[in-house]
Amino acid sequence: MLVDKHNRTFPYLRLSITEVCNFSCQYCLPNGYKKTGKEHFLHQDEIRRLVDAFIELGVWKIRLTGGEPTVRKDFTEIAKIISERSEIKTLAFTTNGYKLVERAQEWYDAGLNAINISIDTLNAKKFHDLTGHNKMQAVRDGIDKALEVGFKKVKINVVLLKGINDGELDQYLEYVKDTPVSVRYIELMQTGDNLTYFNKFHQSADHIKGQLVDRNWIENVRNPGDGPAANFTHPNYAGSIGLIAPYSKDFCTGCNRLRITSSGDLRLCLFGNFGIPLRHMLQDDDQKNLLKAAVRKQLDYKASSHFLATGDTGIMTNLSSTGG
Ligand code: SAM
Ligand code: SF4
């Protein structure tokens, strides 16, 4: 098992498989994805070698992300390669949901068993304005489809935006009344690209917390190994509400994840100041021990927390480039 100097363990790998995205979310890629030369995202063989090495380092949960991971033509094949490995207990992906209605069954059959779907507003016009696509209902239908085909762990990501969706809690509560999903409000994070937007629209998760408490929602006790969300439940509701507050004190204490960018760099933190290239160690099956040793060594450099509070976003320009 990977353990760092701050006694944190890392069973969870977030693997970005592309920077390409078909949406243009205002806080992430407001002008859409722009090709910056020849794309060179990890190939299937490289992904297989990477996953096999990380399994030997104790990883049992992998999330495929991006960009929009499902725009990759070989997304299903990549999922199959990973899910064939019995050591991987959770194979998750994060998606904007645009293809779920058509493909949820195929992806479930490929061994994906957990899914995060982004839907920042339940208002169709606002959704169109935020993402550049008139697809709110299609994404909602996709969530229903994911539940129908058998996904048990369905989470809905909502980036909290002041004046845009911070007045929609009651609509989301109505939604989780009978729908067994976990809606997770994520505080908007500053990135290298979005300072003006961040200053205008950042809203603290406490804004939602107060409203939940007023409506008799109960905050669940956090257990060691739980993710970064504070979870709230209510006996009359099928679903739950989570709050992810990266600016809160102690957010990094429970960090349990490492990240790989779509071109094969190890990122110790979303907001770290450096990436460690691993791709040259993914070219041959014989390089596994070399790769494992390199990862172990780098872990010594993982800082105890990010420096977001001081406005230091590290080398990350936007989340689609590092993998959200
Ligand atoms: N394209 C997929 C999607 O949107 O779900 C996966 C990649 S996206 C970068 C992963 C998650 O990061 C999404 O839920 C998105 O809303 C969130 N995200 C992107 N930029 C963010 C930011 N600046 N602050 C907080 N969350 C952000
Ligand atoms: Fe694309 Fe996801 Fe970024 Fe939106 S948040 S632009 S869907 S990568």
Side-chain angles (χ1 to χ4, degrees), residues 21 23-25 27-29 67-68 96 320:
C21 187
F23 276 25
S24 43
C25 300
Y27 49 77
C28 182
L29 287 175
E68 174 51 41
N96 60 29
S320 82

Side-chain angles (χ1 to χ4, degrees), residues 200-241:
K200 193 161 171 202
F201 295 109
H202 177 261
Q203 169 71 282
S204 160
D206 284 344
H207 176 78
I208 298 292
K209 186 174 179 174
Q211 295 180 57
L212 286 170
V213 171
D214 288 347
R215 288 161 175 74
N216 298 320
W217 282 66
I218 309 289
E219 183 169 358
N220 298 352
V221 176
R222 302 279 281 273
N223 295 310
D226 282 353
N231 281 309
F232 290 76
T233 48
H234 189 294
N236 300 340
Y237 289 74
S240 62
I241 304 283

